[in-house]
Amino acid sequence: MTTMSDLKHQHFMQMALNLAREGEGRTAPNPPVGAVIVNSGIVVGEGFHPQYGEPHAEIFALRQAGKKAQGAEIYVTLEPCSHYGNTPPCADALIAAGIKSVYIGAVDPNPQVSGRGIEKLRKNGIEVHTEIFESQCRRLIVAFTKHITTGLPFTIYKAAMTLDGNTATSTGDSKWVSGAESRQQVHRLRDRVEAIMVGVGTVLKDDPLLNTRLLHGNGRDPLRVVVDSQLRINPECRLLKQKSLAKTLIATISTDQRKILALQNSGAEVVVLPADSAKVSLPALWQELGRRQVQTLLLEGGARLAAAALEKKMIDRLMLYVAPKLLAGSSGVGIFSGPGVIKMSNAFKLEDMHYEMVGEDLLITGDIASCLLD
């Protein structure tokens, strides 16, 4: 049974969650965090972690609350840190400010610090309550959790298809499968990830920009990653000639110094990685991106790269836009290309499914189960 007290805690934690989302895509290698300080039922301080190197959410909330933090409650989406990093421990700041109670959404998944902030707070006489909107708070930091526990980026595969399962016509025409509202939502997603990836086939066919184009501007371009095993990309393509603060990383197995130099002269960074069946080893590429502090990777194409990434269990989440269109034929292109699994019993399963309408399109979101079924 939900009590009035439960509703109050959920209300303030929801406020903290909304604040935390303001920092999504800007905080790596830290997680996005939001905090709300409440005194006598009134919000006196709010804050979120805006980007790596800046103060944490609790510090901004404490600054706003000032002396009103004395004897107050704080709602924070993630366990306050207890160690020195780029900033002093937030747990120490809460103790010094005289906070009475701390309500925590999720315990820190970092195995080196998990629970230590809670322990420090309790040892100093502060009431600590956990698991307030825990599932929502854990979902917020799913990319941080994946990165801090495995060293790999959390990977979202985004695709758009017609109702009869095609991403392009038999001639390769794909502009546009989804509607304007869906495409703008994808640009908002690009603004919130550290890297975006495509295969070289997509670059050769579409000559994309892979940048962020928001209706009201102020978008941030993610790192652009092209998987190009044999360095077929044209150094004069739009991807490399656009004006952008973001870099382009080309992953290859080729050691052709002439091609590498031409791409470097066009502003690209080329990284030579181990081969897997004469192609770039995707596990090695994911490890490289993890070392570069990429928490969230958006995989946008093409179908062969997506199929290979799924086979290697590198994809964590699928975002599929289904447009109310029919190509009325069987010669189109699907979202995956390759042999796939042999038995239906071995199909990849989706969990934690969400459905929403985006304009006229249906967006289906689900997390890939961690392993193939037996």
Side-chain angles (χ1 to χ4, degrees), residues 300-345:
E300 290 209 4
R304 287 192 296 272
L305 174 59
L310 183 62
E311 181 185 5
K312 296 293 185 180
K313 302 179 183 178
M314 310 307 293
I315 297 176
D316 299 289
R317 179 171 294 165
L318 173 69
M319 291 182 64
L320 180 61
Y321 292 89
V322 183
K325 301 174 183 178
L326 298 170
L327 296 190
S330 59
S331 57
V333 180
I335 64 173
F336 296 104
S337 177
V341 299
I342 303 302
K343 297 181 179 180
M344 187 61 70
S345 59

Side-chain angles (χ1 to χ4, degrees), residues 116-319:
R116 294 182 182 178
I118 293 173
E119 181 182 4
K120 177 177 283 191
L121 292 170
R122 285 176 172 160
K123 282 185 176 180
N124 283 272
I126 296 177
E127 296 178 9
V128 179
H129 307 269
T130 60
E131 301 180 359
I132 312 298
F133 265 20
E134 183 181 23
S135 61
Q136 294 91 327
C137 291
R138 288 200 176 281
R139 186 175 179 84
L140 173 72
I141 61 166
V142 64
F144 170 74
T145 301
K146 174 73 179 288
H147 188 251
I148 200 68
T149 56
T150 68
L152 303 175
F154 182 84
T155 303
I156 303 169
Y157 175 41
K158 185 278 301 179
M161 72 177 191
T162 61
L163 273 173
D164 49 355
N166 296 301
T167 63
T169 68
S170 58
T171 64
D173 181 29
S174 60
K175 296 185 178 179
W176 296 101
V177 176
S178 56
E181 294 90 343
S182 296
R183 297 197 300 275
Q184 187 58 206
Q185 187 180 74
V186 170
H187 281 285
R188 292 195 295 271
L189 178 59
R190 288 181 179 183
D191 181 57
R192 298 290 183 176
V193 302
E194 285 80 41
I196 180 173
M197 179 186 291
V198 296
V200 67
T202 297
V203 178
L204 295 176
K205 181 173 73 73
D206 298 335
D207 196 17
L209 290 169
L210 300 181
N211 58 8
T212 299
R213 303 184 293 278
L214 299 179
L215 290 177
H216 303 293
N218 300 321
R220 183 202 62 173
D221 293 342
L223 169 70
R224 295 175 289 270
V225 183
V226 180
V227 184
D228 184 5
S229 297
Q230 302 304 325
L231 291 183
R232 295 188 292 147
I233 189 171
N234 184 349
E236 300 298 317
C237 68
R238 294 200 305 162
L239 193 69
L240 300 178
K241 292 303 179 181
Q242 65 180 308
K243 292 182 180 180
S244 174
L245 295 176
K247 296 181 179 179
T248 299
L249 178 69
I250 300 176
T252 186
I253 61 172
S254 173
T255 57
D256 187 320
Q257 292 303 307
R258 181 182 59 83
K259 290 182 178 180
I260 291 174
L261 181 60
L263 291 169
Q264 290 173 336
N265 288 339
S266 291
E269 180 183 355
V270 180
V271 57
V272 180
L273 295 172
D276 181 2
S277 301
K279 294 182 180 180
V280 169
S281 166
L282 296 187
L285 175 54
W286 260 247
Q287 290 166 7
E288 175 67 23
L289 294 176
R291 285 192 292 270
R292 293 169 181 254
Q293 305 302 335
V294 174
Q295 271 190 13
T296 307
L297 169 66
L298 179 61
L299 176 60
E300 290 209 4
R304 287 192 296 272
L305 174 59
L310 183 62
E311 181 185 5
K312 296 293 185 180
K313 302 179 183 178
M314 310 307 293
I315 297 176
D316 299 289
R317 179 171 294 165
L318 173 69
M319 291 182 64

Side-chain angles (χ1 to χ4, degrees), residues 78-79 106-114 138 141 144-145 148-149:
L78 184 67
E79 175 186 1
V107 175
D108 194 327
N110 185 343
Q112 295 181 337
V113 300
S114 180
R138 288 200 176 281
I141 61 166
F144 170 74
T145 301
I148 200 68
T149 56

